[in-house]
């Protein structure tokens, strides 16, 4: 186990700045996920930690050791790639043993580690098979096994589940979480899938355009997104954003739109007061909007009227897209609520869960 620390790390490819001033310190045994849209610099950062990519500027430490100039094989890390990179001509046992043989680990020790990893991963019966005789999920396990036998200080994983179908991905996600808990090895995991990030990470690093947007626990990212990008990236379906005017009336503070006026709670009111008379981005998650008569959200100064455009039943819940004076709002409502396209509806906004963002900086207000 070891901490991984990045201090003011930059990566430039010619004129392209792939990673800008990246700072992070993991805990021992922590599971940290890098997430963000394609091209945001996740893989490049991981590859710099692995030593597969040179650092343009800054320092990377694994444990207490500065590793900027340490070759990958001496960094005491094990990497799991998206394509697994198994050797096709070797069987599972040999694939897992290969790295250890190169390191001249004694034969009995190799045997012990491979068998132990195979037992943990439930692939003992596959040890004599070649990769082509395995399913995608089994290959994925072998790739994990090859990392485990190294007994490294740090696991680095780059989208290890992206070649699996949706169902298997969910299963393997749970397996990886369990495995990481059991082994307690510090893990850095790259994905563009926010659900994977939320379910796996003790902490998540949200990136955009080479820059870290927020580092936080899954729940804090959801409840207290630092800016509009994070707010829109975490959560599904995405948060609604509506331009609204801040109106002060004595103690009360309202977010006003031509079609509705919502009274904010005391906490948001205080944060919004300096914006009185100005426009801000109001943010509200689809699950924090209810259909009147079908929600526990109490009615007050929080009613939004509109016309249903699209209805998407998902079973327990139904997603509805409602046009509010030309602005489309997505709401997640009770799956049994009888809503039809074209119908006029009254929505109730949970004012305890409202967000607001500065129109220029897009930083969260409050
Ligand atoms: P994805 O999810 O698509 O893998 P990512 O977040 O991992 O994306 P990176 O692969 O780290 O993104 O790429 C970050 C930026 O650096 C991108 O703009 C990419 O085009 C650029 N980049 C990456 N590798 C190189 C390279 N070898 N030469 C030039 N530019 C590169």
């Amino acid at each position: 186990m070891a901490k991984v620390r990045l201090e003011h790390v930059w990566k430039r490819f010619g004129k392209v700045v792939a990673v800008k001033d990246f700072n992070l310190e993991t805990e021992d045994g922590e599971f940290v996920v890098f997430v963000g849209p394609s091209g945001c610099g996740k893989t490049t950062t991981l590859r710099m930690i692995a030593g597969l990519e040179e650092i343009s500027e800054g320092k990377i430490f694994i444990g207490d050791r500065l590793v900027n100039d340490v070759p990958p094989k001496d960094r005491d890390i094990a990497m799991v790639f998206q394509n697994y990179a198994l050797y096709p001509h070797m069987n599972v046992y040999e694939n897992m043993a290969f790295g250890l043989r190169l390191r001249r680990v004694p034969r009995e020790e190799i045997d012990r580690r491979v068998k132990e990893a195979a037992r943990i991963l439930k692939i003992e019966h596959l040890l004599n098979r070649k990769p082509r005789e395995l399913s995608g999920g089994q290959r994925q396990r072998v790739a994990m096994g090859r990392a485990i036998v190294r007994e490294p200080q740090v696991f680095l994983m780059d989208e290890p589940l992206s070649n699996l179908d949706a169902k298997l991905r969910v299963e393997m996600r749970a397996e990886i979480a369990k495995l990481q808990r059991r082994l307690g090895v510090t893990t850095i995991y790259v994905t563009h899938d926010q659900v994977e990030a939320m379910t796996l990470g003790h902490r998540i690093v949200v990136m955009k355009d080479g820059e870290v947007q927020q580092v936080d626990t899954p729940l804090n990212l959801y409840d207290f997104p630092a800016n509009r990008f994070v707010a829109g990236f975490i959560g599904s379906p995405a948060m609604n954003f509506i331009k609204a005017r801040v109106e002060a009336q004595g103690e009360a503070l309202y977010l006003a739109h031509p079609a509705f006026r919502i009274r904010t709670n005391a906490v948001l009111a205080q944060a919004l007061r300096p914006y009185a008379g100005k426009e801000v981005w109001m943010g509200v998650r689809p699950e924090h909007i209810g259909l009147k008569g079908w929600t526990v959200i109490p009615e007050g100064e929080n009613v939004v009227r509109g016309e249903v455009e699209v209805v998407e039943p998902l079973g327990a819940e139904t997603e509805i897209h409602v046009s509010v004076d030309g602005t489309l709002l997505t709401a997640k409502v009770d799956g049994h609520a009888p809503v039809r396209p074209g119908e006029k509806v009254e929505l109730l906004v949970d004012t305890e869960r409202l967000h607001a963002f500065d129109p220029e900086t897009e930083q969260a207000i409050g």
Side-chain angles (χ1 to χ4, degrees):
M1 278 203 295
K3 289 184 183 175
V4 176
R5 191 161 91 239
L6 289 88
E7 283 180 6
H8 303 292
V9 169
W10 291 71
K11 179 67 191 181
R12 299 186 191 87
F13 293 106
K15 285 204 178 109
V16 177
V17 183
V19 179
K20 295 177 197 161
D21 197 25
F22 194 112
N23 290 285
L24 176 74
E25 179 166 6
T26 72
E27 301 285 332
D28 264 348
E30 193 176 22
F31 199 134
V32 175
V33 179
F34 294 173
V35 71
S38 186
C40 71
K42 316 177 284 289
T43 296
T44 302
T45 308
L46 196 76
R47 288 173 57 84
M48 285 193 285
I49 299 170
L52 301 172
E53 203 75 76
E54 257 187 54
I55 303 165
S56 304
E57 212 178 299
K59 291 178 182 165
I60 298 182
F61 295 87
I62 296 176
D64 292 325
R65 187 159 68 128
L66 179 68
V67 294
N68 284 37
D69 299 319
V70 176
K73 68 176 178 42
D74 298 329
R75 290 195 182 195
D76 209 358
I77 49 132
M79 207 158 163
V80 182
F81 297 94
Q82 179 173 346
N83 60 11
Y84 318 141
L86 300 178
Y87 300 107
H89 58 287
M90 293 184 191
N91 69 20
V92 169
Y93 186 101
E94 290 158 351
N95 260 288
M96 285 164 68
F98 186 68
L100 301 181
R101 290 222 170 101
L102 283 186
R103 273 154 222 271
R104 306 194 184 285
V105 175
R107 181 176 293 270
E108 309 77 59
E109 175 66 10
I110 293 178
D111 194 60
R112 183 190 70 73
R113 290 199 203 174
V114 170
K115 285 185 176 150
E116 169 69 4
R119 193 178 60 73
I120 293 172
L121 292 161
K122 304 192 185 73
I123 52 172
E124 290 153 299
H125 58 297
L126 303 175
L127 288 173
N128 290 319
R129 293 216 200 150
K130 296 272 170 63
R132 64 167 183 280
E133 297 162 335
L134 302 173
S135 71
Q138 290 167 337
R139 274 183 219 151
Q140 212 285 330
R141 278 169 204 268
V142 177
M144 292 291 299
R146 208 170 38 177
I148 291 173
V149 296
R150 297 269 307 278
E151 300 184 353
Q153 299 248 38
V154 180
F155 285 133
L156 302 176
M157 305 192 189
D158 192 358
E159 308 238 10
L161 303 182
S162 60
N163 283 336
L164 305 179
D165 67 46
K167 186 163 173 281
L168 200 53
R169 204 153 59 217
V170 173
E171 276 173 35
M172 285 307 295
R173 191 167 82 200
E175 296 272 326
I176 288 180
K178 228 168 37 188
L179 192 68
Q180 199 273 343
R181 252 199 322 272
R182 173 168 178 179
L183 301 174
V185 175
T186 308
T187 301
I188 302 181
Y189 185 107
V190 163
T191 179
H192 61 268
D193 179 347
Q194 61 99 10
V195 178
E196 216 165 276
M198 293 290 276
T199 49
L200 283 173
H202 300 151
R203 276 191 307 161
I204 299 173
V205 178
V206 183
M207 297 180 71
K208 180 191 166 218
D209 298 336
E211 271 181 288
V212 173
Q213 304 292 304
Q214 189 171 359
V215 182
D216 223 324
T217 61
L219 263 190
N220 275 347
L221 287 180
Y222 179 82
D223 287 333
F224 309 108
N227 59 37
R228 193 183 147 181
F229 174 78
V230 175
F233 191 77
I234 300 291
S236 173
M239 184 184 280
N240 295 289
F241 298 104
I242 307 135
K243 269 273 165 79
R245 232 177 106 77
V246 179
E247 289 181 6
Q249 218 168 70
E251 284 290 289
L253 214 99
Y254 294 89
L255 285 168
H257 175 270
F260 61 81
R261 206 162 91 120
I262 294 173
R263 184 171 174 167
T264 63
N265 74 2
V267 176
L268 191 56
Q270 195 181 4
L272 278 174
R273 201 154 288 277
Y275 289 84
K278 298 197 184 113
E279 275 198 328
V280 297
W281 285 108
M282 166 179 138
V284 58
R285 297 194 183 278
E287 55 272 38
H288 300 145
I289 304 177
L291 189 66
K292 189 171 159 180
W294 288 86
T295 174
V296 293
I297 300 169
E299 184 175 349
E301 292 177 284
N302 64 341
V303 183
V304 176
R305 293 182 182 81
E307 186 175 315
V308 179
E309 290 208 344
V310 180
V311 176
E312 296 178 315
L314 300 170
E317 290 154 340
T318 295
E319 272 174 44
I320 59 173
H321 304 275
V322 179
S323 168
V324 178
D325 199 30
T327 305
L328 261 196
L329 270 190
T330 304
K332 230 188 229 180
V333 303
D334 190 295
H336 296 97
V339 268
R340 277 188 219 90
E343 205 174 318
K344 297 241 182 325
V345 288
E346 285 191 308
L347 302 172
L348 304 181
V349 171
D350 186 346
T351 52
E352 296 303 316
R353 312 301 295 265
L354 268 184
H355 301 260
F357 303 92
D358 186 288
E360 268 120 51
T361 65
E362 304 209 330
Q363 296 298 306
I365 301 170

